[in-house]
Amino acid sequence: MRYMEESKEIKLVGISASPGICIGKAYLVGREGVDVIKKYSISGKNLDKEIKRFKLAVKKTKDELHGIIENSPEDFRQNANILETHALLLKDKMLYGSTIETIENERVNAEWALKMVVSKIKMMFEGMSDDYFRERGSDIVHVSDRIMRNLVGQEQVNIGGINKRVILVAHDLSPAQTSQIQLERIMGFITERGGKASHTGIIAQTLEIPAVLGLGKQFGIIQHDDIIIVDGSEGAVIVSPSDETLIRYEEKIEQYETHKANLTREAHLPAITLDNITLNIMGNIELPEEVVSVLDYGGDGIGLYRTEFQYLSKPEFPTEMELFEKYKDVVDVMGGKPITIRTLDINGDKAISQGNGTIEINPALGLRAIRYCLKKPDIFMTQLRAILRVAAYGNVRILFPLISGVEEIMEAKRLLCEAAESLHRDGVVFNKDFEVGVMIEVPSAVIMADTLAKEVDFFSIGTNDLIQYSLAIDRGNFEVAHMYQPLHPAILRMLKHVADIAQKNHLKLYICGEMASEPLYVPLLLAMGFGELSMNPQSIPIVKRMVRSISLEDCKQFLKQVLKPTEIAIINDMVQEKYGKLLSQKIYSE
Ligand code: PEP
Ligand code: MG
């Protein structure tokens, strides 16, 4: 006799990272983006085969490393030594010898043996006080990651290899992994970690994949092949939904699609306030391919082109020609519309595979963005030359990230001039007559805004990092995600301060952090004097709709009121009460 199984529907709540809803089967992947490493026994007669499989993966890794070294451009040569060291480490007794021994002695699969050996090595090196040894430890970990990818790649699947429509469930996804997601295969994704404004979430929005991040411990409930609903708009995940829930969500999907279609239909209307003030609503992109969606959603230009993804997806640095060609694709599609090319903002949470293997204890405060570029002028120069060249073909601006003081912008500008001179000497077509801006995303830049204003044509406020650094909230950490509050009075005062300085110095004032994509914040930004708001492309239509529903005068009066309270909750309530009704935030009820 069969019993009707009782529905075991479970609702999990995480961070709403990318809107939309999907229903599908869970596909669990591990921390490295490959299937969770499982332990299994190897019989005596198959041990040799298993060791051979490990050796093959090591050989493949060695070939890969040599391939990178040989094909790397001139300005990458300095890093070649590190890769050569990595190639030598492949046969290191501690790694190579011990893994083979573990396979033999414990009769386990190569992945498991490697994992065990590496965690022992990690523990051993982490406890050492000598920098040299710690670095050697991180080199070994780096090399073992490559071997692991090759091992797993031979028999199991990785993100790129998933061949059915699934919902990706991962402990964590790096921005580089997220950008490799194939839209036709992945319907949505869920992670244990990740916080508000993390780059992983930002990419999910650009890809228009519903995503819920930062599920924390609840994450463990989800099993491979479970039927799940991802409600990216509400930040909810429903595991094993009942029939009623499934029907309710099918309806929600329909309503969401209708809402999106309505918004998209009006996306091409300009963003003009009731009292005739025009705002430019721009798109943020990570990859040149995304430029089309900026136009489709009615964007007036690119307010932030995050160029680092070209460096994340390949093991070697891109050449000047490769960069130029990618930038040219964007320029060609955008016609005369402005394109703000931000120089390389790698590291932080966007570690590059070409790194020197050093694991930074505090990457957000480490060798990131402009700091990295100024330390590696050759790599920076390659990008600057590509930007100067493409500026001859379109309406380009340059934007320098993570500026913390005036010396950095002066040095960056000096290198920009040097790059222009070198192009002139080489007789290559270029244009250096374009707007130069700094991102205001470090608190010291807010304080020094009056000095920075003398050096540039525009400010672009990066609220994602400004909030992270000012409130000391790791933007990628779900534990503190509830404290990540754009309407914190400290943030509002900083924005107002920078806006006043921009106005006094006749500087253009833009914003490209996620804060710009929240329609409820738009009245405040308008009142402060922002002329351009840039955001993930799919938010453009709703923000434009908000602009068309408000007037500058009214917003200015309201801003005065909002700057008075000192409690975040009161400010949030004031904003919700005043502007919430203009836009039905519950988009499902449209
Ligand atoms: C920001 O920090 O607000 C920003 C736009 O840059 P990113 O998110 O790439 O750090
Ligand atoms: Mg930033």
Side-chain angles (χ1 to χ4, degrees):
M1 181 177 167
R2 288 185 67 206
Y3 293 94
M4 281 278 285
E5 244 200 42
E6 225 182 284
S7 166
K8 290 187 242 74
E9 173 176 309
I10 306 167
K11 184 172 178 182
L12 314 175
V13 180
I15 296 163
S16 147
S18 175
I21 302 168
C22 62
I23 303 174
K25 272 193 176 176
Y27 190 98
L28 265 61
V29 293
R31 227 170 268 275
E32 309 300 336
V34 294
D35 276 359
V36 182
I37 305 297
K38 291 196 189 92
K39 182 182 180 181
Y40 52 87
S41 311
I42 304 288
S43 65
K45 65 176 184 341
N46 284 327
L47 275 179
D48 278 347
K49 238 165 102 191
E50 191 64 7
I51 292 170
K52 209 165 154 199
R53 194 166 74 80
F54 173 67
K55 287 183 175 170
L56 247 169
V58 173
K59 160 105 181 42
K60 203 167 169 206
T61 310
K62 189 174 152 201
D63 294 345
E64 253 174 24
L65 286 169
H66 285 309
I68 298 170
I69 296 167
E70 276 155 29
N71 298 319
S72 60
E74 256 330 286
D75 50 8
F76 178 65
R77 289 279 178 241
Q78 65 199 77
N79 288 303
N81 292 345
I82 299 150
L83 292 184
E84 268 153 18
T85 316
H86 283 182
L88 289 176
L89 283 175
L90 286 169
K91 288 282 172 79
D92 188 282
K93 194 170 170 333
M94 239 186 324
L95 182 71
Y96 187 78
S98 304
T99 305
I100 294 178
E101 263 171 42
T102 309
I103 299 172
E104 262 170 348
N105 298 343
E106 296 192 34
R107 300 188 167 210
V108 286
N109 54 315
E111 291 88 346
W112 186 258
L114 180 64
K115 190 178 157 173
M116 290 300 105
V117 166
V118 170
S119 57
K120 275 188 206 150
I121 295 177
K122 256 191 203 164
M123 261 175 16
M124 196 174 89
F125 279 98
E126 268 164 19
M128 291 184 176
S129 54
D130 190 304
D131 278 351
Y132 169 79
F133 283 111
R134 275 215 310 273
E135 237 168 70
R136 193 173 151 82
S138 66
D139 279 344
I140 292 184
V141 171
H142 208 84
V143 165
S144 69
D145 279 349
R146 280 187 188 274
I147 304 176
M148 187 66 91
R149 275 198 294 272
N150 282 324
L151 257 182
V152 173
Q154 283 163 18
E155 293 206 342
Q156 299 182 42
V157 272
N158 57 27
I159 290 179
I162 296 174
N163 58 7
K164 43 191 173 186
R165 291 270 292 162
V166 287
I167 295 169
L168 205 63
V169 181
H171 290 284
D172 209 353
L173 284 173
S174 70
Q177 286 167 333
T178 314
S179 62
Q180 278 161 29
I181 280 177
Q182 294 172 34
L183 294 176
E184 67 280 10
R185 311 237 169 106
I186 312 286
M187 303 162 77
F189 71 80
I190 298 171
T191 63
E192 178 186 9
R193 293 159 187 281
K196 274 252 158 78
S198 64
H199 282 103
T200 304
I202 290 171
I203 297 165
Q205 286 175 24
T206 314
L207 296 173
E208 298 187 37
I209 292 183
V212 176
L213 306 186
L215 277 182
K217 289 200 179 74
Q218 318 164 82
F219 173 86
I221 292 171
I222 308 169
Q223 303 281 322
H224 200 69
D225 275 351
D226 271 351
I227 299 286
I228 48 177
I229 300 174
V230 180
D231 184 342
S233 309
E234 302 265 313
V237 175
I238 294 146
V239 186
S240 311
S242 66
D243 287 350
E244 292 99 277
T245 308
L246 277 172
I247 293 168
R248 195 156 45 84
Y249 269 93
E250 296 283 5
E251 281 167 13
K252 272 190 168 192
I253 291 176
E254 232 171 81
Q255 285 164 2
Y256 180 76
E257 293 304 330
T258 314
H259 163 80
K260 255 183 85 174
N262 288 342
L263 272 177
T264 312
R265 217 167 295 132
E266 59 177 53
H268 293 275
L269 299 175
I272 303 181
T273 63
L274 297 171
D275 46 357
N276 255 334
I277 308 293
T278 304
L279 277 187
N280 285 336
I281 308 300
M282 319 275 279
N284 294 349
I285 61 165
E286 281 76 41
L287 297 167
E289 297 75 36
E290 293 156 6
V291 71
V292 179
S293 68
V294 175
L295 293 177
D296 286 349
Y297 283 120
D300 298 309
I302 309 284
L304 172 63
Y305 177 4
R306 292 182 167 100
T307 55
E308 43 280 3
F309 288 86
Q310 238 175 304
Y311 295 72
L312 296 178
S313 51
K314 284 209 290 177
E316 66 275 17
F317 285 102
T319 62
E320 179 184 318
M321 198 58 194
E322 281 168 344
L323 292 174
F324 169 76
E325 279 168 2
K326 290 283 179 194
Y327 302 162
K328 180 82 168 29
D329 286 348
V330 176
V331 163
D332 287 346
V333 177
M334 290 308 284
K337 290 190 163 78
I339 299 144
T340 316
I341 305 185
R342 181 177 72 183
T343 61
L344 205 46
D345 183 359
I346 35 179
N347 293 340
D349 68 343
K350 290 171 287 189
I352 48 163
S353 50
Q354 306 90 330
N356 58 9
T358 315
I359 295 169
E360 290 189 292
I361 291 176
N362 218 335
L365 307 181
L367 193 61
R368 180 188 164 183
I370 196 74
R371 302 166 183 188
Y372 177 90
C373 290
L374 295 183
K375 198 164 175 199
K376 312 226 179 247
D378 292 354
I379 293 162
F380 197 28
M381 208 51 112
T382 305
Q383 182 178 35
L384 294 177
R385 281 175 57 108
I387 296 173
L388 284 156
R389 285 176 60 184
V390 81
Y393 300 91
N395 185 357
V396 167
R397 310 162 175 162
I398 193 166
L399 177 59
F400 294 108
L402 213 75
I403 296 293
S404 63
V406 73
E407 298 88 345
E408 285 164 335
I409 183 63
M410 285 165 68
E411 181 61 4
K413 279 170 52 184
R414 190 186 68 72
L415 290 170
L416 185 64
C417 283
E418 220 176 83
E421 279 159 21
S422 71
L423 285 168
H424 179 70
R425 273 197 307 276
D426 295 348
V428 180
V429 178
F430 70 98
N431 169 26
K432 70 174 174 48
D433 189 20
F434 50 68
E435 287 180 16
V436 174
V438 280
M439 289 205 63
I440 303 285
E441 52 183 347
V442 179
S444 58
V446 174
I447 308 283
M448 299 303 290
D450 53 346
T451 310
L452 297 175
K454 311 274 183 297
E455 297 292 330
V456 292
D457 305 300
F458 69 94
F459 286 154
S460 185
I461 306 207
T463 46
N464 304 340
D465 279 314
L466 186 61
I467 296 169
Q468 152 161 281
Y469 294 126
S470 308
L471 304 183
I473 308 293
D474 178 348
R475 59 193 271 193
N477 184 342
F478 71 97
E479 301 279 10
V480 287
H482 61 288
M483 294 174 74
Y484 194 94
Q485 296 283 350
L487 295 190
H488 190 298
I491 300 299
L492 291 181
R493 289 179 197 190
M494 284 193 210
L495 294 181
K496 178 75 169 60
H497 173 75
V498 176
D500 290 346
I501 291 200
Q503 196 181 21
K504 206 165 133 202
N505 289 276
H506 310 290
L507 227 64
K508 290 176 180 152
L509 181 64
Y510 311 145
I511 176 167
C512 61
E514 285 301 291
M515 187 179 178
S517 68
E518 169 52 62
L520 278 179
Y521 304 158
V522 170
L524 305 178
L525 300 174
L526 169 72
M528 287 183 196
F530 284 87
E532 197 173 285
L533 318 181
S534 194
M535 62 208 63
N536 65 79
Q538 57 171 332
S539 295
I540 294 173
I542 191 124
V543 166
K544 283 180 130 185
R545 186 191 273 188
M546 178 51 117
V547 174
R548 288 193 294 270
S549 328
I550 53 182
S551 78
L552 176 61
E553 274 321 303
D554 188 51
C555 294
K556 276 187 174 169
Q557 293 309 320
F558 182 64
L559 179 64
K560 280 189 199 150
Q561 302 307 314
V562 160
L563 288 171
K564 286 179 192 161
T566 49
E567 283 171 56
I568 308 166
I570 296 179
I571 301 173
N572 276 329
D573 285 351
M574 284 171 78
V575 172
Q576 179 68 43
E577 199 177 312
K578 170 94 175 150
Y579 293 106
K581 52 187 175 298
L582 282 185
L583 291 162
S584 156
Q585 285 299 298
K586 289 278 160 220
I587 50 175
Y588 307 123
S589 58
E590 204 174 68

